[in-house]
Amino acid sequence: MDKGELFQQFVRFTTSVHQVTNDMTKEIRIENITTVQYKILEFITVSQPVTLSEVSECLHLSLPNSSRELKKLIQNQLCEKIIVPNDRRKFDIRLTEKGTALMNKVFQQLELKFQERIYNLTEPELKEIQEAIKILQTKFFA
Amino acid sequence: MDKGELFQQFVRFTTSVHQVTNDMTKEIRIENITTVQYKILEFITVSQPVTLSEVSECLHLSLPNSSRELKKLIQNQLCEKIIVPNDRRKFDIRLTEKGTALMNKVFQQLELKFQERIYNLTEPELKEIQEAIKILQTKFFA
DNA sequence: CTCTTTAGTTATCATTTGATAACTAAAGGG
DNA sequence: CCCTTTAGTTATCAAATGATAACTAAAGAG
Protein backbone atom coordinates (compact mmCIF):
# COMPACT_ATOMS: atom_id res chain seq x y z
CA MET A 1 0.00 0.00 0.00
CA ASP A 2 1.27 3.43 -0.96
CA LYS A 3 0.80 5.29 2.29
CA GLY A 4 1.52 8.64 0.69
CA GLU A 5 -1.34 8.18 -1.69
CA LEU A 6 -3.58 7.07 1.16
CA PHE A 7 -2.75 10.34 2.87
CA GLN A 8 -3.77 12.29 -0.22
CA GLN A 9 -7.08 10.48 -0.26
CA PHE A 10 -7.48 11.15 3.44
CA VAL A 11 -6.96 14.88 2.95
CA ARG A 12 -9.45 15.05 0.10
CA PHE A 13 -11.89 13.03 2.15
CA THR A 14 -11.71 15.09 5.33
CA THR A 15 -12.00 18.25 3.25
CA SER A 16 -15.21 16.89 1.77
CA VAL A 17 -16.54 15.94 5.18
CA HIS A 18 -15.89 19.43 6.48
CA GLN A 19 -17.49 21.02 3.48
CA VAL A 20 -20.61 18.90 3.57
CA THR A 21 -21.17 19.21 7.31
CA ASN A 22 -20.49 22.95 7.09
CA ASP A 23 -23.14 23.27 4.43
CA MET A 24 -25.56 21.19 6.49
CA THR A 25 -25.10 23.25 9.65
CA LYS A 26 -24.62 26.57 7.92
CA GLU A 27 -28.19 27.81 8.17
CA ILE A 28 -28.67 26.67 11.73
CA ARG A 29 -28.59 29.94 13.60
CA ILE A 30 -29.96 29.97 17.09
CA GLU A 31 -30.90 33.18 18.83
CA ASN A 32 -28.32 34.51 21.24
CA ILE A 33 -25.96 31.64 20.55
CA THR A 34 -22.57 32.23 18.99
CA THR A 35 -20.64 29.68 16.96
CA VAL A 36 -18.44 28.68 19.87
CA GLN A 37 -21.41 28.37 22.17
CA TYR A 38 -23.11 26.14 19.63
CA LYS A 39 -20.04 23.94 19.45
CA ILE A 40 -20.07 23.62 23.21
CA LEU A 41 -23.75 22.67 23.16
CA GLU A 42 -23.07 20.11 20.46
CA PHE A 43 -20.22 18.66 22.47
CA ILE A 44 -22.32 18.45 25.61
CA THR A 45 -25.12 16.86 23.62
CA VAL A 46 -23.05 13.97 22.35
CA SER A 47 -20.86 13.53 25.42
CA GLN A 48 -22.88 14.53 28.47
CA PRO A 49 -22.22 14.61 31.28
CA VAL A 50 -18.95 16.48 30.74
CA THR A 51 -16.73 18.59 32.96
CA LEU A 52 -15.56 22.06 32.07
CA SER A 53 -12.03 20.80 31.62
CA GLU A 54 -13.25 18.32 29.06
CA VAL A 55 -15.03 21.06 27.15
CA SER A 56 -11.88 23.11 27.33
CA GLU A 57 -9.62 20.35 26.13
CA CYS A 58 -11.79 18.86 23.41
CA LEU A 59 -12.76 22.18 21.90
CA HIS A 60 -9.31 23.71 22.32
CA LEU A 61 -10.57 26.57 24.42
CA SER A 62 -8.79 27.93 27.45
CA LEU A 63 -10.44 27.21 30.76
CA PRO A 64 -11.23 30.88 31.41
CA ASN A 65 -12.87 31.24 28.03
CA SER A 66 -14.77 27.99 28.43
CA SER A 67 -15.99 29.22 31.78
CA ARG A 68 -17.17 32.48 30.28
CA GLU A 69 -19.08 30.84 27.45
CA LEU A 70 -20.61 28.23 29.70
CA LYS A 71 -21.85 30.99 31.92
CA LYS A 72 -23.75 32.49 29.02
CA LEU A 73 -25.26 29.13 28.13
CA ILE A 74 -26.35 28.69 31.71
CA GLN A 75 -27.80 32.19 31.74
CA ASN A 76 -29.78 31.16 28.67
CA GLN A 77 -30.90 28.12 30.64
CA LEU A 78 -29.62 25.73 28.01
CA CYS A 79 -27.39 23.78 30.37
CA GLU A 80 -26.71 23.43 34.03
CA LYS A 81 -24.01 22.48 36.49
CA ILE A 82 -24.49 19.36 38.50
CA ILE A 83 -22.44 18.90 41.62
CA VAL A 84 -20.45 15.69 41.69
CA PRO A 85 -20.18 14.29 45.24
CA ASN A 86 -16.63 12.96 45.40
CA ASP A 87 -14.81 16.05 44.15
CA ARG A 88 -16.16 19.44 45.03
CA ARG A 89 -13.88 21.31 42.62
CA LYS A 90 -15.52 19.79 39.59
CA PHE A 91 -19.06 19.66 38.34
CA ASP A 92 -20.83 17.86 35.57
CA ILE A 93 -22.46 19.82 32.79
CA ARG A 94 -25.73 18.67 31.29
CA LEU A 95 -28.33 20.08 28.98
CA THR A 96 -31.42 21.40 30.68
CA GLU A 97 -34.83 20.44 29.36
CA LYS A 98 -34.83 23.62 27.31
CA GLY A 99 -31.36 22.81 25.98
CA THR A 100 -32.38 19.27 25.14
CA ALA A 101 -35.47 20.48 23.31
CA LEU A 102 -33.37 22.96 21.36
CA MET A 103 -30.78 20.42 20.35
CA ASN A 104 -33.47 17.94 19.40
CA LYS A 105 -34.88 20.50 17.02
CA VAL A 106 -31.45 21.20 15.59
CA PHE A 107 -30.74 17.53 15.07
CA GLN A 108 -34.12 17.07 13.43
CA GLN A 109 -33.24 19.76 10.91
CA LEU A 110 -29.91 18.09 10.32
CA GLU A 111 -31.55 14.71 9.90
CA LEU A 112 -33.86 16.16 7.29
CA LYS A 113 -30.89 17.34 5.26
CA PHE A 114 -29.23 14.01 5.76
CA GLN A 115 -32.29 12.12 4.54
CA GLU A 116 -32.50 14.37 1.47
CA ARG A 117 -28.91 13.54 0.72
CA ILE A 118 -29.37 9.78 0.85
CA TYR A 119 -32.82 9.82 -0.74
CA ASN A 120 -31.69 8.57 -4.11
CA LEU A 121 -29.46 5.80 -2.81
CA THR A 122 -30.41 2.14 -3.04
CA GLU A 123 -30.64 -0.20 -0.10
CA PRO A 124 -27.33 -1.98 -0.91
CA GLU A 125 -25.60 1.38 -1.25
CA LEU A 126 -26.86 2.41 2.18
CA LYS A 127 -25.52 -0.83 3.60
CA GLU A 128 -22.16 -0.10 1.99
CA ILE A 129 -22.11 3.36 3.51
CA GLN A 130 -23.00 2.05 6.93
CA GLU A 131 -20.23 -0.52 6.70
CA ALA A 132 -17.72 2.08 5.51
CA ILE A 133 -18.54 4.40 8.39
CA LYS A 134 -18.14 1.55 10.82
CA ILE A 135 -14.73 0.61 9.45
CA LEU A 136 -13.36 4.15 9.51
CA GLN A 137 -14.85 4.81 12.91
CA THR A 138 -13.28 1.76 14.54
CA LYS A 139 -9.99 1.53 12.66
CA PHE A 140 -9.00 5.12 12.20
CA PHE A 141 -11.06 7.69 14.04
CA ALA A 142 -11.44 5.65 17.23
CA MET B 1 -32.27 -0.08 6.65
CA ASP B 2 -33.15 2.10 9.62
CA LYS B 3 -32.31 5.51 8.23
CA GLY B 4 -32.68 7.15 11.63
CA GLU B 5 -30.00 4.94 13.05
CA LEU B 6 -27.79 5.59 10.05
CA PHE B 7 -28.14 9.29 10.82
CA GLN B 8 -27.02 8.70 14.40
CA GLN B 9 -23.95 6.87 13.14
CA PHE B 10 -23.33 9.67 10.69
CA VAL B 11 -23.40 12.26 13.45
CA ARG B 12 -21.02 10.31 15.64
CA PHE B 13 -18.76 9.75 12.68
CA THR B 14 -18.55 13.36 11.53
CA THR B 15 -17.97 14.42 15.11
CA SER B 16 -15.00 12.04 15.26
CA VAL B 17 -13.67 13.31 11.96
CA HIS B 18 -13.82 16.88 13.19
CA GLN B 19 -12.16 15.99 16.45
CA VAL B 20 -9.33 14.03 14.89
CA THR B 21 -8.59 16.57 12.18
CA ASN B 22 -8.77 19.36 14.74
CA ASP B 23 -6.23 17.56 16.87
CA MET B 24 -4.01 17.00 13.86
CA THR B 25 -4.07 20.62 12.75
CA LYS B 26 -4.19 22.12 16.21
CA GLU B 27 -0.49 22.76 16.64
CA ILE B 28 0.01 24.09 13.16
CA ARG B 29 0.44 27.77 13.80
CA ILE B 30 1.95 29.83 11.07
CA GLU B 31 3.39 33.24 11.71
CA ASN B 32 1.10 36.13 10.86
CA ILE B 33 -1.64 33.80 9.65
CA THR B 34 -4.98 33.66 11.38
CA THR B 35 -7.33 30.69 11.42
CA VAL B 36 -9.51 32.07 8.67
CA GLN B 37 -6.52 32.93 6.56
CA TYR B 38 -5.24 29.40 7.00
CA LYS B 39 -8.57 28.00 5.87
CA ILE B 40 -8.42 30.17 2.79
CA LEU B 41 -4.90 28.95 2.06
CA GLU B 42 -6.02 25.37 2.53
CA PHE B 43 -8.94 25.91 0.18
CA ILE B 44 -6.73 27.49 -2.45
CA THR B 45 -4.25 24.65 -2.08
CA VAL B 46 -6.73 21.92 -2.85
CA SER B 47 -8.82 23.83 -5.39
CA GLN B 48 -6.57 26.28 -7.19
CA PRO B 49 -7.08 28.22 -9.25
CA VAL B 50 -10.09 29.71 -7.49
CA THR B 51 -11.92 33.02 -7.75
CA LEU B 52 -12.67 35.24 -4.79
CA SER B 53 -16.36 34.46 -5.10
CA GLU B 54 -15.58 30.76 -4.76
CA VAL B 55 -13.57 31.40 -1.64
CA SER B 56 -16.42 33.47 -0.30
CA GLU B 57 -19.08 30.90 -1.05
CA CYS B 58 -17.24 27.75 -0.01
CA LEU B 59 -15.91 29.19 3.22
CA HIS B 60 -19.11 31.05 4.05
CA LEU B 61 -17.39 34.41 4.21
CA SER B 62 -18.86 37.60 2.83
CA LEU B 63 -17.15 38.97 -0.25
CA PRO B 64 -15.85 42.07 1.56
CA ASN B 65 -14.35 39.97 4.32
CA SER B 66 -12.86 37.52 1.83
CA SER B 67 -11.35 40.42 -0.01
CA ARG B 68 -9.84 41.80 3.17
CA GLU B 69 -8.28 38.49 4.19
CA LEU B 70 -6.98 37.74 0.72
CA LYS B 71 -5.30 41.11 0.72
CA LYS B 72 -3.36 40.15 3.81
CA LEU B 73 -2.35 36.83 2.29
CA ILE B 74 -1.14 38.64 -0.81
CA GLN B 75 0.75 41.13 1.35
CA ASN B 76 2.44 38.14 2.96
CA GLN B 77 3.25 36.95 -0.55
CA LEU B 78 1.54 33.62 0.01
CA CYS B 79 -0.79 33.93 -2.93
CA GLU B 80 -1.35 36.09 -5.95
CA LYS B 81 -4.03 37.28 -8.32
CA ILE B 82 -3.86 36.12 -11.87
CA ILE B 83 -5.79 38.04 -14.45
CA VAL B 84 -8.15 35.92 -16.46
CA PRO B 85 -8.38 37.17 -20.06
CA ASN B 86 -12.08 36.73 -20.87
CA ASP B 87 -13.55 38.53 -17.87
CA ARG B 88 -11.72 41.47 -16.43
CA ARG B 89 -13.86 41.66 -13.31
CA LYS B 90 -12.60 38.34 -12.01
CA PHE B 91 -9.20 36.96 -11.29
CA ASP B 92 -7.81 33.61 -10.40
CA ILE B 93 -6.08 33.10 -7.10
CA ARG B 94 -3.07 30.86 -6.82
CA LEU B 95 -0.41 30.12 -4.28
CA THR B 96 2.90 31.81 -4.91
CA GLU B 97 6.09 29.81 -4.66
CA LYS B 98 6.40 30.92 -1.06
CA GLY B 99 2.81 29.87 -0.38
CA THR B 100 3.32 26.53 -2.04
CA ALA B 101 6.45 25.89 -0.01
CA LEU B 102 4.60 26.78 3.18
CA MET B 103 1.66 24.55 2.46
CA ASN B 104 3.98 21.72 1.47
CA LYS B 105 5.61 21.98 4.86
CA VAL B 106 2.22 22.03 6.57
CA PHE B 107 1.05 18.99 4.68
CA GLN B 108 4.28 17.18 5.50
CA GLN B 109 3.62 17.74 9.19
CA LEU B 110 0.09 16.51 8.74
CA GLU B 111 1.27 13.46 6.86
CA LEU B 112 3.62 12.63 9.69
CA LYS B 113 0.75 12.62 12.15
CA PHE B 114 -1.29 10.60 9.72
CA GLN B 115 1.45 8.00 9.33
CA GLU B 116 1.80 7.74 13.12
CA ARG B 117 -1.88 7.09 13.34
CA ILE B 118 -1.89 4.24 10.83
CA TYR B 119 1.45 2.85 11.93
CA ASN B 120 0.05 -0.11 13.80
CA LEU B 121 -2.47 -1.12 11.15
CA THR B 122 -1.99 -4.18 8.98
CA GLU B 123 -1.93 -4.15 5.20
CA PRO B 124 -5.46 -5.60 4.86
CA GLU B 125 -6.77 -3.04 7.33
CA LEU B 126 -5.25 -0.24 5.28
CA LYS B 127 -6.92 -1.64 2.18
CA GLU B 128 -10.23 -1.68 4.04
CA ILE B 129 -9.79 1.93 5.06
CA GLN B 130 -8.91 2.98 1.55
CA GLU B 131 -11.98 1.22 0.22
CA ALA B 132 -14.21 2.74 2.89
CA ILE B 133 -12.97 6.26 2.11
CA LYS B 134 -13.61 5.66 -1.56
CA ILE B 135 -17.17 4.52 -0.93
CA LEU B 136 -18.08 7.43 1.31
CA GLN B 137 -16.37 9.90 -0.97
CA THR B 138 -18.23 8.79 -4.08
CA LYS B 139 -21.61 7.84 -2.63
CA PHE B 140 -22.17 10.41 0.05
CA PHE B 141 -19.70 13.29 0.16
CA ALA B 142 -19.43 13.72 -3.61
C1' DC C 1 -26.36 52.90 -25.93
C1' DT C 2 -28.52 52.44 -21.62
C1' DC C 3 -29.70 49.57 -17.78
C1' DT C 4 -28.92 45.78 -14.87
C1' DT C 5 -26.12 42.36 -13.00
C1' DT C 6 -21.81 40.49 -11.56
C1' DA C 7 -17.26 40.72 -9.22
C1' DG C 8 -14.75 42.80 -6.25
C1' DT C 9 -12.99 46.96 -3.08
C1' DT C 10 -12.73 50.06 0.76
C1' DA C 11 -14.11 51.75 5.07
C1' DT C 12 -16.28 51.35 9.37
C1' DC C 13 -18.28 49.40 13.38
C1' DA C 14 -19.94 45.77 16.55
C1' DT C 15 -19.31 41.34 18.30
C1' DT C 16 -16.80 37.30 19.13
C1' DT C 17 -12.91 35.04 20.32
C1' DG C 18 -8.22 34.48 22.32
C1' DA C 19 -4.80 35.30 25.85
C1' DT C 20 -3.28 36.36 30.29
C1' DA C 21 -2.98 37.62 35.19
C1' DA C 22 -4.56 37.17 39.62
C1' DC C 23 -7.65 34.80 42.22
C1' DT C 24 -10.47 30.92 45.32
C1' DA C 25 -11.11 26.55 47.00
C1' DA C 26 -10.78 21.72 47.18
C1' DA C 27 -7.79 17.48 46.68
C1' DG C 28 -3.81 14.88 47.41
C1' DG C 29 0.96 13.74 48.81
C1' DG C 30 4.32 13.18 52.27
C1' DC D 1 -0.25 20.00 58.74
C1' DC D 2 1.96 22.13 54.96
C1' DC D 3 2.78 22.32 50.14
C1' DT D 4 1.59 21.42 45.47
C1' DT D 5 -1.61 20.38 42.07
C1' DT D 6 -6.11 20.48 40.05
C1' DA D 7 -10.49 22.78 38.71
C1' DG D 8 -12.59 26.57 37.92
C1' DT D 9 -13.64 31.98 38.23
C1' DT D 10 -13.34 36.83 37.25
C1' DA D 11 -11.55 40.70 34.98
C1' DT D 12 -9.29 42.85 31.32
C1' DC D 13 -7.27 43.68 26.92
C1' DA D 14 -6.08 42.75 22.14
C1' DA D 15 -7.05 40.63 17.94
C1' DA D 16 -10.00 38.31 14.70
C1' DT D 17 -14.22 37.94 12.61
C1' DG D 18 -18.86 39.39 10.96
C1' DA D 19 -21.96 42.69 8.95
C1' DT D 20 -23.09 46.52 6.25
C1' DA D 21 -22.99 50.67 3.33
C1' DA D 22 -21.25 52.96 -0.43
C1' DC D 23 -18.33 52.44 -4.07
C1' DT D 24 -15.84 51.13 -9.05
C1' DA D 25 -15.65 48.84 -13.19
C1' DA D 26 -16.57 45.36 -16.43
C1' DA D 27 -20.06 42.24 -18.64
C1' DG D 28 -24.31 41.27 -20.64
C1' DA D 29 -29.13 42.04 -22.14
C1' DG D 30 -32.30 44.32 -24.93
Side-chain angles (χ1 to χ4, degrees), chain A residues 3-5 7-8, chain B residues 24 106-116:
Chain A
K3 290 182 173 183
E5 200 199 308
F7 172 66
Q8 298 295 327
Chain B
M24 282 174 75
V106 167
F107 275 75
Q108 265 168 36
Q109 280 180 262
L110 277 182
E111 179 157 5
L112 218 68
K113 301 208 178 205
F114 176 79
Q115 301 300 353
E116 276 170 28

Side-chain angles (χ1 to χ4, degrees), chain B residues 2-113:
Chain B
D2 180 346
K3 290 182 174 183
E5 201 201 307
L6 186 58
F7 172 66
Q8 299 294 327
Q9 291 176 296
F10 170 75
V11 169
R12 278 194 296 275
F13 176 64
T14 52
T15 305
S16 299
V17 173
H18 280 108
Q19 225 154 280
V20 168
T21 52
N22 264 344
D23 282 341
M24 282 174 75
T25 51
K26 184 195 170 183
E27 294 141 39
I28 296 170
R29 283 268 132 205
I30 312 166
E31 263 197 304
N32 301 323
I33 297 288
T34 70
T35 310
V36 171
Q37 283 162 28
Y38 175 73
K39 281 194 182 159
I40 294 177
L41 277 184
E42 207 176 52
F43 177 66
I44 298 172
T45 305
V46 300
S47 313
Q48 63 184 336
V50 295
T51 66
L52 191 62
S53 297
E54 284 167 346
V55 170
S56 169
E57 198 194 316
C58 294
L59 270 47
H60 306 315
L61 301 169
S62 70
L63 210 42
N65 291 336
S66 303
S67 177
R68 175 184 61 198
E69 298 309 321
L70 179 64
K71 206 171 156 188
K72 292 175 195 162
L73 290 173
I74 291 173
Q75 272 167 9
N76 273 324
Q77 296 165 48
L78 295 172
C79 45
E80 58 192 350
K81 295 182 183 179
I82 293 179
I83 294 157
V84 10
N86 32 345
D87 188 336
R88 282 193 296 171
R89 289 169 307 180
K90 298 188 206 175
F91 49 84
D92 281 348
I93 305 166
R94 282 180 178 284
L95 296 183
T96 58
E97 237 176 278
K98 187 179 163 196
T100 308
L102 178 76
M103 290 310 284
N104 279 343
K105 244 175 69 185
V106 167
F107 275 75
Q108 265 168 36
Q109 280 180 262
L110 277 182
E111 179 157 5
L112 218 68
K113 301 208 178 205

Side-chain angles (χ1 to χ4, degrees), chain A residues 92-108:
Chain A
D92 280 348
I93 306 166
R94 281 181 179 284
L95 296 183
T96 58
E97 238 177 276
K98 186 179 164 198
T100 308
L102 178 76
M103 291 309 283
N104 279 343
K105 243 175 70 186
V106 167
F107 275 76
Q108 265 167 36

Side-chain angles (χ1 to χ4, degrees), chain A residues 8-122:
Chain A
Q8 298 295 327
Q9 292 176 296
F10 171 75
V11 169
R12 276 195 296 275
F13 176 64
T14 53
T15 304
S16 299
V17 173
H18 280 107
Q19 225 153 280
V20 168
T21 52
N22 263 343
D23 282 341
M24 283 174 75
T25 51
K26 184 194 170 183
E27 293 140 40
I28 296 169
R29 282 268 133 205
I30 311 165
E31 266 197 303
N32 302 322
I33 298 287
T34 68
T35 310
V36 171
Q37 283 163 27
Y38 174 74
K39 281 194 182 159
I40 294 177
L41 277 183
E42 207 177 52
F43 177 66
I44 298 172
T45 305
V46 301
S47 314
Q48 63 184 335
V50 296
T51 65
L52 191 62
S53 297
E54 285 167 345
V55 171
S56 168
E57 199 194 316
C58 293
L59 270 47
H60 306 314
L61 301 169
S62 71
L63 211 43
N65 291 337
S66 303
S67 178
R68 174 184 63 198
E69 299 308 321
L70 179 65
K71 206 171 158 188
K72 292 175 194 162
L73 290 172
I74 291 172
Q75 272 166 9
N76 274 324
Q77 297 165 49
L78 295 172
C79 45
E80 56 191 352
K81 295 181 183 181
I82 293 179
I83 293 158
V84 12
N86 32 346
D87 189 336
R88 283 193 294 172
R89 289 170 305 180
K90 298 188 207 176
F91 50 83
D92 280 348
I93 306 166
R94 281 181 179 284
L95 296 183
T96 58
E97 238 177 276
K98 186 179 164 198
T100 308
L102 178 76
M103 291 309 283
N104 279 343
K105 243 175 70 186
V106 167
F107 275 76
Q108 265 167 36
Q109 279 180 264
L110 277 183
E111 178 157 5
L112 219 68
K113 300 208 179 206
F114 177 79
Q115 300 300 353
E116 276 170 29
R117 232 187 143 79
I118 63 170
Y119 182 70
N120 55 341
L121 295 177
T122 64

